[in-house]
């Protein structure tokens, strides 16, 4: 497992598979690069796959640092861009879900030379102040909890607490036909339990990447400022934090998007719908 050179003081651990046009797979919270274990065998014969742990996750560096400068969407996207620059990669298909989706979109906006297309599941822009509705607030409680020192005091460095906390989200956010393997929870418990690892993972929520903050402050861009990168949106039927009703304003933010709903699928798209995710990526590789 190689590491990138330090950029802004952070190294990224990553795996690389296959050959061909480049594809970058960006994981979510609470996960790591193993979120794509089901997808990799479906794509390794079609693409040059680059699968990093984001800053603060997995085996990547987890330094205490200002959340906005280093762990926000812009900060994480800068780290991903530096990795691709180091590897000499341009014109990649970036794919992601959860925070990986937002980071992929930010990378496409800030470094369009690196990105030829996007394949993403929520979060996508367009929810706006609907994130402050009663149903949404009940689901997004954890984003407020993550602001508190209590999160560190109760969870960080305690494997039993880490396991219970992560297992809640993997069970609650998944679709009705998906059961997370104990081996996945075992693995994530290991990587999130080292002192400081849990807190590093939630630095995203202490920045403008916090979905409640970003949606509540969302503004509709001018037509000329909409993201022009071709994008395939895979929206899950059973994602409790990003209801499919929030897909109604994609035209306000993207100039070239395709939309596909995923019946029966919950939040964890690359594991619950690996075949559909891989097929969407192969469409861009063939195009």
């Amino acid at each position: 497992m190689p590491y990138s050179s330090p950029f802004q003081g952070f190294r990224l651990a990553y795996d690389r598979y296959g050959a061909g046009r480049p594809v970058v797979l960006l994981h979510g919270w609470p996960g790591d690069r193993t979120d794509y274990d089901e997808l990799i065998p479906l794509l390794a014969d079609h693409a040059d796959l680059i699968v990093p742990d984001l800053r603060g996750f997995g085996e990547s560096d987890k330094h205490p640092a200002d959340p906005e400068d280093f762990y926000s969407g812009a900060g994480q996207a800068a780290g991903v861009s530096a990795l691709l620059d180091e590897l000499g990669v341009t014109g990649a298909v970036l794919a992601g879900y959860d925070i990986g989706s937002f980071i992929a979109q930010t990378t496409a906006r800030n470094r369009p030379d690196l990105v030829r297309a996007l394949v993403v599941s929520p979060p996508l822009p367009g929810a706006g102040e609907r994130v402050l509705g009663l149903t949404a607030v009940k689901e997004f409680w954890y984003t407020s909890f993550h602001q508190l020192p209590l999160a560190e005091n109760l969870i960080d460095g305690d494997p039993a607490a880490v396991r219970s906390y992560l297992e809640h989200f993997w069970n609650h956010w998944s679709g009705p036909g998906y059961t997370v393997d104990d081996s996945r929870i075992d693995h994530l418990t290991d990587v999130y339990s080292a002192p400081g690892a849990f807190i590093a993972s939630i630095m995203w929520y202490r920045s403008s990447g916090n979905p409640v903050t970003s949606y509540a402050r969302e503004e509709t861009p001018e037509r000329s400022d909409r993201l022009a990168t071709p994008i395939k949106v895979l929206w899950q039927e059973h994602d409790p934090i990003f209801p499919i009703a929030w897909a109604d304003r994609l035209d306000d933010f993207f100039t070239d998007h395709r939309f596909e709903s995923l019946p029966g699928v919950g939040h964890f798209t690359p594991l619950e719908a690996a075949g559909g995710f891989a097929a969407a990526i192969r469409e861009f590789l063939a195009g």
Side-chain angles (χ1 to χ4, degrees):
M1 181 274 306
Y3 280 90
S4 70
S5 299
F7 176 74
Q8 298 177 336
F10 288 81
R11 299 172 306 152
L12 297 187
Y14 66 96
D15 292 321
R16 196 169 189 179
Y17 308 89
R21 290 185 171 182
V23 173
V24 183
L25 304 176
L26 301 179
H27 66 80
W29 183 92
D32 67 359
R33 70 185 191 272
T34 65
D35 289 359
Y36 289 98
D37 281 357
E38 301 293 329
L39 202 67
I40 288 165
L42 304 178
L43 291 172
D45 290 340
H46 302 272
D48 172 15
L49 297 177
I50 300 161
V51 194
D53 282 326
L54 296 166
R55 288 179 179 175
F57 293 88
E59 297 177 273
S60 290
D61 287 340
K62 303 173 178 65
H63 306 312
D66 180 82
E68 189 60 31
D69 288 343
F70 298 98
Y71 288 104
S72 65
Q76 292 277 16
V80 171
S81 298
L83 171 63
L84 299 185
D85 284 338
E86 180 178 343
L87 298 177
V89 169
T90 59
V93 177
L94 264 61
Y97 84 107
D98 193 85
I99 68 172
S101 172
F102 190 89
I103 294 164
Q105 294 168 60
T106 304
T107 304
R109 180 172 292 281
N110 293 349
R111 289 291 307 276
D113 57 308
L114 298 179
V115 185
R116 66 185 297 262
L118 298 168
V119 178
V120 295
S121 285
L124 278 299
E129 292 188 353
R130 288 181 286 190
V131 75
L132 303 177
L134 182 59
T135 299
V137 167
K138 288 180 177 179
E139 291 293 344
F140 280 111
W141 62 269
Y142 66 97
T143 65
S144 297
F145 174 65
H146 287 174
Q147 311 305 313
L148 305 175
L150 188 63
E152 181 172 4
N153 296 338
L154 290 180
I155 298 173
D156 194 77
D158 182 337
V162 166
R163 183 183 184 91
S164 181
Y165 194 70
L166 300 189
E167 196 167 24
H168 163 77
F169 294 101
W170 278 88
N171 288 328
H172 178 58
W173 288 351
S174 61
Y178 178 75
T179 301
V180 60
D181 290 339
D182 286 342
S183 60
R184 169 152 294 277
I185 299 300
D186 291 343
H187 166 74
L188 293 175
T189 298
D190 286 343
V191 297
Y192 277 72
S193 288
F198 174 75
I199 288 302
S201 82
I202 65 171
M203 285 297 182
W204 170 268
Y205 299 98
R206 296 180 176 183
S207 76
S208 57
N210 184 332
V212 175
T213 302
S214 59
Y215 277 138
R217 296 175 177 173
E218 187 175 73
E219 296 181 358
T220 303
E222 297 293 332
R223 181 174 293 275
S224 59
D225 290 332
R226 296 174 188 175
L227 186 62
T229 306
I231 180 170
K232 178 68 174 285
V233 174
L234 304 173
W235 207 300
Q236 318 94 319
E237 179 187 14
H238 292 291
D239 189 332
I241 50 175
F242 299 110
I244 201 166
W246 289 0
D248 59 346
R249 295 187 55 223
L250 295 176
D251 285 338
D252 292 339
F253 295 88
F254 304 104
T255 62
D256 182 7
H257 73 86
R258 314 172 200 171
F259 178 84
E260 181 180 345
S261 63
L262 299 177
V265 176
H267 182 72
F268 301 102
T269 313
L271 288 160
E272 298 187 54
F277 210 137
I281 293 170
R282 287 197 298 266
E283 287 178 18
F284 282 123
L285 293 174

